[in-house]
């Protein structure tokens, strides 16, 4: 039976609310799922169990941290249902239609209820970079780019706006707590944000934050909230510790009594406050639904050895507030985690490279080993050492696939055809054409905005001077896309054929970039429509080209380098962590408040619990700080991270590297030599 392979706590979570007659009356459930405790498997079993007990899969709302996580969940549900339903399991799993991210689900509901809330259902969605560009246009129009003293950049302005919206915090408090250097601009920022909102609305554009904000505003109306809530008998949320106040407000509006609500997460792995996520959501869940809330704790770990868990438990046990749980496992080992002291970052790099190669000789593949770090630039010296020794590696936490100019150009063409009032897409697109600069593009867009049918207005305009046939080709391509006659996904091939001559003109490495565009076409084939493709890709983009196309290396094996944030949810046989020193973990930029320090502690915990068999925490005694003073680079003497005080050293094997070697006879003889350098120096001038 499918429930027999679950441990007692997992089974309790899966069967919560099941009555003896098989029916389901599920009150609010909080599953505290420790690292490596089978969280995803438990949640998938709960969804499958609901379906097998008669729940309508079309009335189950499942929200995960990423679209890929939702897809994986669907596959697992189908496998589990398959054990009971046989060949019909695929039908039931496919009916789990309301599965995705908060933002993705929000976009669908906003289109469904567009008429009731006064928006055009054909709205387009801006990603972060496009939102920053629009913010910059508004900033420039208001004259804030020419102020006497430095006004915040477009990226900072967007970050302030996003923090205020997602944390449901008043602007003065956001500025005081997170952006104190911008506090003097409060009045101007308020004006900027008001105009930014008006610009989005006039262009029929929603940004990433609007998908939650509009949803929250929509369910603030009790009748609409009840209508949406009644569509779903069960609402399940994964990674609840990574939600923000806005997401919590939405859940409370949909299921005010908590009936049918299940949230799964781990307060000890809440590490995304820079996205306005708050650990308070999961900590306060029981009080929000008191006394009805049930709590099930998954504390059996299937990943790590007991000594690694003992050390990780000891680190997180010093947290100021948490749900009490101590991870345990049946995987015993005599090997404790190592706390390795080295002289400096160069020795740290050499130590890691030596150990990685030693492990490989013992049969551990490179890709089963990972090096983690708090910030992306911390791996610089190691990358040099790995390259010098010809050790292939892949780094996560770097450039995103959709950030590349040629991919953004292609997506801008599709977005502009979808919504001709999208000024950011149109502005970018027109400047690809020879002879068209910002001024001409602005005039064209202004003319289109004044017409009830913007695409008709575009077709009727005379070609701008010096644009020639390129203008004609551009307009005809946009018109063909607007009609939809080519169908999806043929439309993206149409855009690529139009864009290829410009790609070759604009980029020296056009052939390499063309491979990305062909890859983008392949990705597009997995979506039902242009609208769905643009929405999903904007809300949950692939991390890099390699995420879809395989790692861009000739080597079949490679070492993993990753920031801790990018490593969350992953596991490796051998894990090394760099710079376990104060100033790096905790980061010297994140020690302003108790909440920030506690999140840094959780980051170390997340890093430690990625390891299955072996964990090395490396402590360089000297750490270089780059470009922080007028004299150039300098080094500081570092101390071990405050999160591993002396009382916790019992959980580690404490050692130094390199180990001292016996002195050779030649070295002993050299130590006997005595010279008077001072006398030689004085003799230089006599």
């Amino acid at each position: 039976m499918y429930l027999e392979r679950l441990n007692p706590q997992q089974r309790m979570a899966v069967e919560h609310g099941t009555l003896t007659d098989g029916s389901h009356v599920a009150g609010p459930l909080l599953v505290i799922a420790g690292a490596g405790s089978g969280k995803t498997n438990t949640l998938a079993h709960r969804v499958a169990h609901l379906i097998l007990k008669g729940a309508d899969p079309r009335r189950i709302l499942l929200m995960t941290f990423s679209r890929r996580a939702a897809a994986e969940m669907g596959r697992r549900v189908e496998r589990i249902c398959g054990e009971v339903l046989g060949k019909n399991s695929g039908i039931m799993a496919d009916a789990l239609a309301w599965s995705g991210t908060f933002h993705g689900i929000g976009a669908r509901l906003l289109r469904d209820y567009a008429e009731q809330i006064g928006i055009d259902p054909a709205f387009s969605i801006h990603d972060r970079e496009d939102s920053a560009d629009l913010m910059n246009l508004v900033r420039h129009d208001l004259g804030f780019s020419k102020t006497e003293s430095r006004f915040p950049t477009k990226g900072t302005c967007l970050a302030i706006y996003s923090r205020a919206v997602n944390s449901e915090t008043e602007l003065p408090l956001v500025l005081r707590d997170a952006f104190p250097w911008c506090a003097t601009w409060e009045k101007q920022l308020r004006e900027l944000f008001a105009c930014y909102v008006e610009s989005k609305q006039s262009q029929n554009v929603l940004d990433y934050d609007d998908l939650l904000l509009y949803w929250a505003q929509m369910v603030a109306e009790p009748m609409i909230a009840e209508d949406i809530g009644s569509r779903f008998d069960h609402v399940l949320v994964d990674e609840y510790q990574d939600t923000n106040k806005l997401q919590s407000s939405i859940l409370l509006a949909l299921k005010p009594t908590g009936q049918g609500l299940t949230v799964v997460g781990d307060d000890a792995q809440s590490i995304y406050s820079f996205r306005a996520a708050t650990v308070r959501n999961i900590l306060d869940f029981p009080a929000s639904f008191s006394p009805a809330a049930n709590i099930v704790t998954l504390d059996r770990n299937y990943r790590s050895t007991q000594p690694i868990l003992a050390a990780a438990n000891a680190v997180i046990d010093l947290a100021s507030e948490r749900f009490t749980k101590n991870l345990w496992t049946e995987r015993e080992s005599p090997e404790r985690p190592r706390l390795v002291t080295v002289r400096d970052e160069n020795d740290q790099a050499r130590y890691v490279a030596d150990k990685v190669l030693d492990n490989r000789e013992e049969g551990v593949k490179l890709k089963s080993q990972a090096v983690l770090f708090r910030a992306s630039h911390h791996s610089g010296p190691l990358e040099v050492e790995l390259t010098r020794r010809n050790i292939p590696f892949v780094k996560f936490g770097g450039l995103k696939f959709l950030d590349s100019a040629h991919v953004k150009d292609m997506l801008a063409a599709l977005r502009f055809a979808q919504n001709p009032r999208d000024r950011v897409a149109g502005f970018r697109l027109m400047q690809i054409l020879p002879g068209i600069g910002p001024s001409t593009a602005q005039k064209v867009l202004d003319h289109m905005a004044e017409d009830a049918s913007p695409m008709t207005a575009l077709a009727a305009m005379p070609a701008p001077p010096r644009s020639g046939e390129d203008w004609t080709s551009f307009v005809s391509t946009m018109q063909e896309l607007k009609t939809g006659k080519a169908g999806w996904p043929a439309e993206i091939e149409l855009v690529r054929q139009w864009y290829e001559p410009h790609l070759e003109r604009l980029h020296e490495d056009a052939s390499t970039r063309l491979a990305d565009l062909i890859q983008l076409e392949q990705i597009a084939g997995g979506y039902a429509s242009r609208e769905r493709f643009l929405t999903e890709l904007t809300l949950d983009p692939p991390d890099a080209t390699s995420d879809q196309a395989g790692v861009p290396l000739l080597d079949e094996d490679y070492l993993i380098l990753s920031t801790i944030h990018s490593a969350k949810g992953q596991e490796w046989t051998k894990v090394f962590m760099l710079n376990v020193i104060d100033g790096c973990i905790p980061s010297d930029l994140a020690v302003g408040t108790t909440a920030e320090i506690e999140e840094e502690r959780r980051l170390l915990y997340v890093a430690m619990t990625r390891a299955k068999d072996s964990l090395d925490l490396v402590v360089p005694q000297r750490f270089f700080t780059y470009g922080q003073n007028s004299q150039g680079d300098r080094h500081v003497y570092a101390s071990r991270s405050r999160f591993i005080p002396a009382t916790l050293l019992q959980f580690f094997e404490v050692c130094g590297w390199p180990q001292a070697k016996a002195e050779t006879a030649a070295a002993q003889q050299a130590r006997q030599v005595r010279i008077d350098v001072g006398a030689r120096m004085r003799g230089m001038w006599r």
Side-chain angles (χ1 to χ4, degrees):
M1 185 180 173
Y2 65 96
L3 294 176
E4 292 176 354
R5 54 178 167 259
L6 302 174
N7 68 40
Q9 286 72 32
Q10 290 173 331
R11 187 161 180 166
M12 193 183 304
V14 168
E15 294 185 298
H16 169 72
T18 304
L19 302 180
T20 53
D21 63 357
S23 61
H24 229 83
V25 183
L29 172 65
L30 169 61
V31 181
I32 299 295
S37 63
K39 169 180 69 69
T40 303
N41 188 46
T42 302
L43 187 55
H45 272 80
R46 177 154 178 77
V47 174
H49 184 70
L50 291 171
I51 294 172
L52 293 171
K53 289 299 180 181
D56 185 343
R58 294 165 297 185
R59 295 180 58 79
I60 294 176
L61 173 58
L62 172 63
M63 290 186 282
T64 60
F65 198 63
S66 69
R67 184 174 49 80
R68 287 180 293 283
E72 171 60 21
M73 195 74 69
R75 286 191 290 271
R76 292 194 186 205
V77 169
E78 182 176 354
R79 270 201 308 273
I80 298 163
C81 289
E83 296 180 24
V84 179
L85 301 177
K87 63 181 181 180
N88 292 324
S89 61
I91 298 171
M92 300 300 284
D94 288 344
L96 195 65
W98 288 95
S99 174
T101 64
F102 260 97
H103 294 84
I105 298 295
R108 289 178 63 186
L109 287 171
L110 291 178
R111 295 193 200 278
D112 283 355
Y113 287 83
E115 186 177 344
Q116 289 174 253
I117 60 175
I119 62 174
D120 184 341
F123 62 80
S124 55
I125 303 170
H126 275 185
D127 63 17
R128 290 295 186 194
E129 188 173 331
D130 292 326
S131 299
D133 287 343
L134 180 57
M135 183 75 77
N136 204 38
L137 287 173
V138 177
R139 180 176 172 273
H140 182 73
D141 289 343
L142 291 173
F144 295 157
S145 56
K146 296 180 180 178
T147 53
E148 286 187 18
S149 58
R150 181 172 60 99
F151 192 77
T153 63
K154 63 179 182 180
T156 301
C157 292
L158 184 64
I160 295 169
Y161 171 83
S162 185
R163 177 68 67 98
V165 166
N166 285 289
S167 64
E168 296 187 322
T169 305
E170 292 294 326
L171 181 58
L173 294 178
V174 171
L175 293 174
R176 184 196 69 187
D177 295 339
F179 302 91
W181 65 94
C182 303
T184 56
W185 295 103
E186 181 191 339
K187 179 183 176 183
Q188 291 86 346
L189 286 168
R190 198 176 292 277
E191 182 183 2
L192 172 64
F193 297 159
C195 292
Y196 172 63
V197 170
E198 290 170 4
S199 293
K200 286 187 294 182
Q201 292 178 354
S202 68
Q203 297 175 39
N204 196 29
V205 160
L206 271 62
D207 65 21
Y208 197 67
D209 302 317
D210 288 333
L211 299 172
L212 296 182
L213 186 59
Y214 276 56
W215 188 3
Q217 292 293 327
M218 181 167 69
V219 296
E221 170 56 48
M223 292 187 69
I224 297 181
E226 185 178 352
D227 185 47
I228 297 176
S230 67
R231 296 172 68 166
F232 306 109
D233 298 325
H234 300 278
V235 176
L236 302 98
V237 183
D238 193 13
E239 304 285 11
Y240 192 60
Q241 77 280 351
D242 294 328
T243 56
N244 58 42
K245 284 189 176 181
L246 208 52
Q247 290 164 318
S248 176
S249 299
I250 290 167
L251 281 181
L252 288 171
L254 291 181
K255 295 293 176 185
T257 66
Q259 191 68 26
L261 178 61
T262 298
V263 301
V264 182
D266 182 5
D267 54 298
Q269 297 186 69
S270 177
I271 58 174
Y272 289 106
S273 67
F274 64 91
R275 295 180 183 166
T278 172
V279 71
R280 298 295 344 155
N281 283 353
I282 194 167
L283 291 175
D284 295 341
F285 184 90
S288 299
F289 297 103
S290 179
N294 277 272
I295 303 175
V296 175
T297 301
L298 308 183
D299 55 7
R300 180 178 178 180
N301 179 283
Y302 293 90
R303 176 186 298 153
S304 307
T305 63
Q306 188 58 47
I308 290 174
L309 293 181
N313 286 336
V315 167
I316 202 63
D317 195 43
L318 298 177
S320 60
E321 184 179 9
R322 71 186 187 102
F323 285 108
T324 302
K325 68 176 178 305
N326 280 297
L327 298 180
W328 64 277
T329 183
E330 294 180 349
R331 296 192 63 223
E332 296 294 339
S333 170
E335 181 183 325
R336 287 179 295 170
R338 281 175 290 277
L339 194 61
V340 185
T341 300
V342 296
R343 183 177 54 187
D344 55 26
E345 289 177 281
N346 290 329
D347 269 7
Q348 176 175 246
R350 285 190 284 271
Y351 170 78
V352 171
D354 279 358
K355 291 298 181 182
V356 163
L357 290 177
D358 288 347
N359 293 336
R360 181 173 174 271
E361 289 304 310
E362 293 172 4
V364 181
K365 291 183 177 181
L366 293 178
K367 64 175 67 174
S368 296
Q369 306 181 60
V371 184
L372 308 182
F373 30 85
R374 172 64 181 84
S376 185
H377 65 271
H378 287 173
S379 66
L382 176 61
E383 292 178 45
V384 172
E385 183 69 13
L386 295 174
T387 302
R388 187 182 72 80
R389 297 213 204 176
N390 197 29
I391 301 174
F393 64 89
V394 174
K395 183 175 179 179
F396 293 92
L399 180 68
K400 304 294 184 184
F401 181 46
L402 299 189
D403 288 345
S404 50
H406 52 298
V407 174
K408 288 191 73 68
D409 288 344
M410 286 273 288
L411 295 178
L414 292 170
R415 282 217 327 269
F416 192 59
Q418 185 84 5
N419 175 18
R421 296 193 186 280
D422 186 338
R423 291 182 76 90
V424 171
F427 196 69
R428 179 185 191 96
L429 207 53
M430 289 182 198
Q431 290 185 84
I432 294 172
L433 306 179
I436 296 184
S439 178
T440 303
Q442 199 81 11
K443 289 176 183 176
V444 173
L445 291 169
D446 288 344
H447 180 72
M448 293 176 66
E450 294 168 359
D451 199 294
S453 176
M455 200 59 81
T456 303
L458 177 68
M461 286 185 68
R466 302 190 305 279
S467 63
E469 288 300 316
D470 289 306
W471 176 261
T472 306
S473 173
F474 164 68
V475 172
S476 63
T477 301
M478 289 300 107
Q479 284 184 302
E480 189 169 352
L481 286 171
K482 187 64 179 173
T483 64
K485 289 180 181 177
W488 183 259
E491 291 169 345
I492 195 167
E493 182 182 3
L494 184 69
V495 173
R496 178 178 58 78
Q497 291 171 347
W498 163 78
Y499 180 63
E500 266 192 63
H502 302 293
L503 180 73
E504 293 170 0
R505 177 174 53 82
L506 295 170
H507 301 287
E508 291 182 3
D509 56 344
S511 59
T512 303
R513 293 174 185 258
L514 180 59
D516 282 346
L517 301 185
I518 292 172
Q519 185 63 44
L520 190 67
E521 284 185 51
Q522 293 174 358
I523 296 171
Y527 296 85
S529 66
R530 180 173 65 194
E531 176 197 290
R532 196 67 182 265
F533 171 70
L534 290 171
T535 298
E536 295 289 350
L537 208 64
T538 301
L539 299 184
D540 189 25
D543 288 334
T545 315
S546 59
D547 193 53
Q548 297 287 345
V551 177
L553 291 168
L554 295 177
D555 303 82
E556 62 179 10
D557 200 11
Y558 45 84
L559 179 67
I560 305 297
L561 308 186
S562 176
T563 62
I564 302 172
H565 285 99
S566 294
K568 188 168 175 292
Q570 305 297 315
E571 60 181 39
W572 295 275
T573 303
K574 309 272 187 181
V575 170
F576 302 85
M577 184 171 172
L578 305 182
N579 301 328
V580 186
I581 56 176
D582 258 30
C584 292
I585 183 84
S587 167
D588 53 9
L589 299 177
V591 291
T593 66
T594 300
E596 288 176 331
I597 293 172
E598 288 302 313
E599 179 158 328
E600 293 290 305
R601 188 194 311 277
R602 295 193 293 268
L603 267 169
L604 177 58
Y605 175 79
V606 167
M608 293 175 70
T609 52
R610 299 310 95 199
K612 294 164 70 174
D613 295 347
S614 171
L615 173 64
D616 288 48
L617 307 182
V618 191
V619 182
Q621 293 177 307
R622 293 200 308 169
F623 183 78
F624 279 87
T625 55
Y626 300 101
Q628 292 184 2
N629 65 345
S630 58
Q631 280 72 45
D633 300 341
R634 64 187 178 93
H635 73 266
V636 296
Y637 286 93
S639 58
R640 186 179 66 243
S641 171
R642 69 187 72 178
F643 301 139
I644 307 178
T647 54
L648 299 192
L649 294 182
Q650 59 182 306
F651 296 101
F652 297 88
E653 178 189 332
V654 182
C655 56
W657 189 91
Q659 295 179 341
K661 297 179 181 178
E663 198 169 50
T664 63
Q668 290 176 349
Q669 290 178 1
R671 287 170 60 84
Q672 303 301 316
V673 176
R674 294 289 185 270
I675 60 174
D676 189 343
V677 174
R680 293 184 182 183
M681 300 301 290
R682 292 191 299 274
M684 290 174 62
W685 306 102
R686 296 184 183 277

